[in-house]
Amino acid sequence: MRPFKRDEPVPVQPFTPAERAAVYRAIETRRDVRDQFLADPLPDDLLERLLGAAHNAPSVGFMQPWSFIVIRDPQVRAGAHLAFQRANEEAAVLFSGERQERYRTLKLEGILKAPVSLCVTCDPDRAGSVVLGRTHNPRMDVYSTVCAVQNLWLAARAEGVGVGWVSIFHDADIRALLGIPERIEIVAWLCLGFVDALYEEPELAVKGWRQRLPLEDLVFADRWGQRR
C-alpha cells in the first residue's frame, strides 16, 4: 500500500462563526431517542451520508475496524426486540424498590418504531495482529468504533434524524440473529428515524433517573484529583 503522492499538510482555517455554532449545536442537542421516531422511511442517499460520516471517524493506526449491518426487515427487528425484552426484564430485577419501579416506566429502545436499525461491529483483525497504536492497549479498536458511532450520531442530528443506542441484550442473541462471527465484536445496536421533537435535556435527566454532573467536578490539573 503506497502513500498518496501529496504527503504534506494543506492550509486550514477555523470554521466561520455560523459553521462553528452549528457543530456545537449538534453536540449539545443530540439526544438518545427512544419514542419520538416518525414512521417515514429514511432515503437511501441520507443513510449513505450518515454511514459516510461514520466511516470518516478517527481510528487508531487507521485500522477502520467498523462494519455496519443495515436492518430494515421487520422480522429481524422483531427478533431483536424479543432479545431486548428478555434482557430488560433481567435488568429490572437488579434494581430495588422505587428505583425498580422507575426503571420499569422508562422506554429504553425504539427497535420496532424506528424504520431502520444499524448493528455496528468491530473487527479486531482488520489491520492485522500488530496494529500501530494498539500495541499496548488492545481496546483501541473498540474505542475507534465508538468514534464512528458518535460521528454518525452528530451527522444524524444535523439531518433531523434521531438515533437511539440499545445496549440491553445478550450478545449471543444478536450474534445468532444476524449471523455475526464469534471473532467480531458487537459494539452497538442503533435505531434510526426522522424526528420532529426532542427533549431539551437528556431523557433520563427529564425523567429523574440521573442528572448531568458539573463539568468542574470532572476536570483536574496535572494529576488525578487536583483541582484547577
Side-chain angles (χ1 to χ4, degrees):
M1 185 179 296
R2 294 181 297 175
F4 286 103
K5 291 182 179 179
R6 180 167 187 168
D7 61 356
E8 296 178 355
V10 296
V12 298
Q13 296 293 330
F15 286 5
T16 67
E19 291 169 336
R20 189 167 61 244
V23 171
Y24 282 100
R25 183 182 175 211
I27 293 169
E28 292 164 2
T29 63
R30 180 213 56 80
R31 295 290 175 261
D32 193 352
V33 178
R34 286 84 176 266
D35 199 35
Q36 290 78 47
F37 293 110
L38 303 177
D40 311 57
L42 289 185
D44 289 342
D45 61 335
L46 172 52
L47 183 57
E48 287 299 313
R49 289 198 298 274
L50 299 182
L51 292 171
H55 188 46
N56 272 286
S59 63
V60 171
F62 204 39
M63 67 180 86
Q64 306 161 75
W66 44 71
S67 293
F68 310 95
I69 304 175
V70 179
I71 303 142
R72 291 191 174 94
D73 188 323
Q75 290 187 330
V76 177
R77 289 190 287 128
H81 186 254
L82 285 175
F84 163 81
Q85 287 181 312
R86 286 194 294 267
N88 192 51
E89 184 56 34
E90 295 169 357
V93 301
L94 298 176
F95 301 96
S96 60
E98 181 182 343
R99 199 69 166 165
Q100 185 181 119
E101 292 176 12
R102 179 166 292 180
Y103 180 92
R104 291 185 182 279
T105 68
L106 297 173
K107 181 171 176 55
L108 299 176
E109 53 74 37
I111 297 171
L112 299 182
K113 192 168 186 179
V116 176
S117 284
L118 283 180
C119 184
V120 184
T121 64
C122 173
D123 183 348
D125 303 325
R126 180 155 297 161
S129 58
V130 180
V131 179
L132 186 157
R134 195 180 64 177
T135 53
H136 292 74
N137 189 337
R139 300 299 287 164
M140 294 309 297
D141 46 16
V142 178
Y143 300 160
S144 298
T145 304
V146 173
C147 288
V149 172
Q150 180 76 337
N151 263 25
L152 184 144
W153 215 330
L154 295 177
R157 176 66 189 92
E159 297 273 11
V161 174
V163 177
W165 188 330
V166 183
S167 59
I168 304 171
F169 53 75
H170 287 288
D171 186 274
D173 289 343
I174 300 302
R175 189 175 300 280
L177 180 69
L178 301 181
I180 298 172
E182 283 296 326
R183 67 178 186 81
I184 302 297
E185 184 162 357
I186 299 171
V187 175
W189 183 289
L190 304 177
C191 304
L192 280 73
F194 285 116
V195 292
D196 59 9
L198 291 171
Y199 286 103
E200 290 188 15
E201 298 293 332
E203 186 173 353
L204 290 183
V206 173
K207 300 294 177 61
W209 184 261
R210 188 170 173 83
Q211 300 304 311
R212 191 182 300 279
L213 300 173
L215 177 60
E216 57 268 24
D217 291 349
L218 309 175
V219 181
F220 304 137
D222 298 321
R223 61 186 299 117
W224 179 266
Q226 183 167 287
R227 298 298 177 188
R228 292 187 294 175

